[in-house]
Amino acid sequence: MAQQQAQVKFTAVKPQLMVKTPKAVDAVNFYKSAFGAVEAGRSACCPPPTAEQNLPNILCAQLELAGCSFVVYNDDSAPQKIEGIGNQLCLETDDVEAAISKAVSAGAVVEGEVTEGGGACCGGRVGKVKDPYGYVWLICSPSNKCAPVEA
Amino acid sequence: MAQQQAQVKFTAVKPQLMVKTPKAVDAVNFYKSAFGAVEAGRSACCPPPTAEQNLPNILCAQLELAGCSFVVYNDDSAPQKIEGIGNQLCLETDDVEAAISKAVSAGAVVEGEVTEGGGACCGGRVGKVKDPYGYVWLICSPSNKCAPVEA
């Protein structure tokens, strides 16, 4: 078992954003227009849309952004209020202001001011937007890293 | 501004996992041993460790896993209980059982049984572990995607 464990390889890390059913389609469109995310696929378990439906009845979709993937899915247990709880997603960009402006144009709401070096984990400039589904995104300039420290 | 917005490019998407101060060092070591994450750096704002400290006093560290980055940082406001709220992180692997076993060896706790096709956004086999810092990780086989649907 120890040998098997040592061979464990992960092929992807994907944040999963649940949204209140049936908002997943709206959320996918929002992340496309706000952040330029590209839809990579929908799960095979998604039921096909029917003729009666104006919107495809997706369960979840995989989006790609800056070389990473994240998943948006419908969930009836999605909390209404998640602000400040759990993990946040940070987006790095060289133009924080333009990124915030674009997100706001798509329906996000600015949270606070853009600060200089305010975030422990972010680069020089850090702003925050809350999307229409309750998730807070940090928009920041690339972080300055120091060398790993042997712990 | 519209033209500037259209040019917004993101260079990274990074989940940020806050843990109760001063657990960030412990958490970094856990994610290394449980998932094989590699430390890529610590923020330039980290104060250097002092001679009196057994552990480096980091504010945050960037970890890399499966081609993605995530950040672990100390935060005094880290919630004690975050289960089931906010986004979850999904790790894809071809060997779900070995991955769970390795995570448990490092201190994670299994949540429920490994199920077949139980997750809307995951592949054939899906398990869950909760890490010592309260975060729940989905461990699943690679997802079967269907083609994007024009919405």
Side-chain angles (χ1 to χ4, degrees), chain B residues 83-102:
Chain B
E83 185 180 2
I85 304 176
N87 67 55
Q88 290 183 318
L89 290 166
C90 174
L91 299 176
E92 283 188 1
T93 181
D94 287 326
D95 194 338
V96 171
E97 279 74 9
I100 290 174
S101 174
K102 185 176 178 184

Side-chain angles (χ1 to χ4, degrees), chain B residues 22-23 40 44 49 52-53 57 65 106 146 148-149:
Chain B
K23 294 284 189 187
E52 292 74 27
Q53 291 171 322
N57 180 26
L65 178 58
C146 53
V149 179

